[in-house]
Amino acid sequence: MTSQVRIAIIGGGIVGLTTAYYLKQSGFDNITLFDDGTGQATKAAAGIISPWLSKRRNKRWYTLAKLGAQLYSEIVATAHLSSGAYRQNGTIVTRHDSEKLAALYELALQRLADTPTMQAVEQLKPSEIETYIPGVKTPAAGILVTGGAQIDGTIFLQELTAFLGLKIIHEKVNLTATGQIDGYPVFDKIVLATGAWLAEAIAPLGLTTSVRPQKGQLISYQTPALSINTPVLMPEGEYDYLPIVNGVIVGASHEDDQGFDLTVDNTIINNLRASAGKINPQLANVAPTSVRVGTRAYTPDFAPFFGQLPDFKHIYAASGLGSSGLTTGPAIAKLLAALIIDSKIELSAYTKPITEYIN
Ligand SMILES: Cc1cc2nc3c(=O)[nH]c(=O)nc-3n(C[C@H](O)[C@H](O)[C@H](O)COP(=O)(O)OP(=O)(O)OC[C@H]3O[C@@H](n4cnc5c(N)ncnc54)[C@H](O)[C@@H]3O)c2cc1C
């Protein structure tokens, strides 16, 4: 009986929460979720869901990202999430070089043929981009993917938690050497959705991982209200520019070698401000209204991974989602839930074996 299976999920970011969602959809309702929230990537993230114009050659990554982007509409409809949590407002990617733009448009059309989530693609002149996104000045033309989406990680998690009726235990928990949660009754299955903190989580099991933290910072500005349908701009050579209620977000930085540091770094903030001023000259001398800092998880091959721990068959882990984890997260969660139900399912189209990342 699924309801008798006691499941613990450690980590309440996009992976942990959407895993809870898929498990509940399959009838598992004895779920305890632990999250201490510090540095969580999901809440800090910019929120762009638009993987289709990426030239990354990693097929497994693209399969996950394409599936993740597609799953959002289903989750949002089922859980009745608001447009503040998720909306398909479109994404515009620019290129300065007309040949590169033409090649990107070709790629977009190819991918559109078997990707209904993209909805439509359109080439835009600089003046058309400026009309779509008030305040923006761009010398470069671009491509609009109308199905490109934006999520607000904080609102998404809040609304999904409420829909699931989950009580989150806001506490940092530790595994014991036998793979249970210190201080809690025995669980039948444990999911480690601990993001960048996987090394610490599995240390009591005598295991190590190649996952490393990467710091990311972004800034927000107040601007005159933008329509809820204003697209996200991904300008070549600059940071991304995302409309939010009454403002915009600009970011995010990718800072290696900073460990789990969450302090605001003024040099980085000044770079972000300079980029914001180039994209929208009205922001050139305006101070940002807020700064967000979070920690991403990276693997040596920049690929996310997930699976069952070989020597602890009741423990499952997912990490290494990097800078596109909001996009791949729901796909990883769906497959992880399927693996919990049937340990024999084939995952090689989506991830390398977990032993490539955990020793
Ligand atoms: C600045 C920034 C911008 C980004 N922009 C985008 C974007 O535009 N598009 C995109 O697709 N992706 C983006 N990302 C990447 C994306 O946010 C992450 O890859 C994704 O959110 C990772 O999700 P996760 O669930 O694996 O980890 P997290 O969201 O980090 O969640 C892990 C959680 O586990 C908790 N935890 C860890 N150990 C324990 C423990 N022992 N006990 C209790 N709790 C624990 C942590 O506190 C944390 O809350 C961005 C990331 C950052 C930092």
Side-chain angles (χ1 to χ4, degrees):
M1 283 287 98
T2 48
S3 60
Q4 283 163 2
V5 182
R6 293 155 301 183
I7 301 179
I9 299 176
I10 307 180
I14 193 71
V15 173
L17 213 59
T18 50
T19 301
Y21 168 84
Y22 282 113
L23 286 171
K24 281 222 167 194
Q25 295 284 98
S26 303
F28 293 88
D29 51 14
N30 193 344
I31 299 174
T32 309
L33 196 146
F34 300 92
D35 186 70
D36 76 336
T38 319
Q40 188 193 89
T42 301
K43 284 184 180 158
I48 304 172
I49 309 294
S50 188
W52 313 287
L53 303 198
S54 167
K55 290 201 162 171
R56 275 185 76 169
R57 284 162 195 256
N58 185 327
K59 281 198 184 135
R60 291 188 181 98
W61 172 81
Y62 185 71
T63 306
L64 281 172
K66 182 181 169 188
L67 176 62
Q70 177 201 320
L71 292 174
Y72 269 105
S73 305
E74 261 169 56
I75 299 174
V76 165
T78 308
H80 312 293
L81 306 187
S82 70
S83 58
Y86 169 91
R87 58 186 181 277
Q88 278 179 292
N89 45 341
T91 38
I92 298 172
V93 179
T94 69
R95 288 289 176 271
H96 294 277
D97 181 293
S98 59
E99 275 178 27
K100 282 189 186 159
L101 187 73
L104 199 61
Y105 185 56
E106 202 44 51
L107 177 71
L109 290 177
Q110 273 169 27
R111 289 189 165 164
L112 176 66
D114 67 353
T115 316
T117 320
M118 290 172 74
Q119 295 181 354
V121 298
E122 195 184 325
Q123 279 186 294
L124 298 179
K125 294 184 202 133
S127 59
E128 291 170 321
I129 296 174
E130 291 168 7
T131 307
Y132 266 110
I133 315 177
V136 158
K137 294 279 169 237
T138 172
I143 294 165
L144 168 68
V145 181
T146 56
Q150 187 175 347
I151 98 163
D152 180 313
T154 304
I155 302 175
F156 186 91
L157 294 183
Q158 273 166 2
E159 293 187 3
L160 191 56
T161 304
F163 169 75
L164 296 174
L166 264 186
K167 266 209 199 104
I168 297 180
I169 301 179
H170 293 285
E171 184 186 318
K172 187 178 175 82
V173 287
N174 298 304
L175 291 179
T176 63
T178 56
Q180 284 300 327
I181 298 183
D182 202 10
Y184 282 87
V186 168
F187 289 98
D188 301 307
K189 310 267 181 193
I190 298 177
V191 178
L192 304 178
T194 49
W197 295 266
L198 183 65
E200 197 184 325
I202 59 176
L205 306 175
L207 299 173
T208 58
T209 173
S210 51
V211 170
R212 64 178 170 83
Q214 186 197 62
K215 182 176 176 182
Q217 303 184 66
L218 45 76
I219 53 177
S220 328
Y221 290 90
Q222 245 175 346
T223 64
L226 292 166
S227 146
I228 192 104
N229 296 318
T230 307
V232 168
L233 181 64
M234 301 169 79
E236 188 179 25
E238 299 295 340
Y239 287 105
D240 298 324
Y241 185 90
L242 295 92
I244 47 172
V245 179
N246 292 332
V248 292
I249 296 173
V250 180
S253 66
H254 291 79
E255 301 161 57
D256 292 316
D257 309 321
Q258 300 294 317
F260 291 91
D261 177 39
L262 291 174
T263 51
V264 172
D265 178 336
N266 282 328
T267 310
I268 301 289
I269 301 305
N270 287 338
N271 290 341
L272 291 165
R273 288 185 67 176
S275 190
K278 279 192 211 153
I279 300 166
N280 179 348
Q282 291 162 21
L283 300 178
N285 296 310
V286 178
T289 44
S290 67
V291 178
R292 294 208 302 251
V293 189
T295 312
R296 305 178 185 91
Y298 267 92
T299 55
D301 65 357
F302 303 98
F305 68 89
F306 55 98
Q308 194 174 24
L309 297 190
D311 294 333
F312 297 88
K313 297 275 184 215
H314 65 295
I315 303 183
Y316 303 78
S319 185
L321 278 71
S323 55
S324 52
L326 289 180
T327 313
T328 54
I332 290 172
K334 188 171 185 181
L335 293 160
L336 211 46
L339 183 67
I340 290 170
I341 294 162
D342 173 7
S343 63
K344 303 229 165 356
I345 65 160
E346 183 52 54
L347 294 175
S348 57
Y350 305 98
T351 175
K352 288 185 191 165
I354 198 164
T355 44
E356 297 263 331
Y357 306 94
I358 292 182
N359 295 301

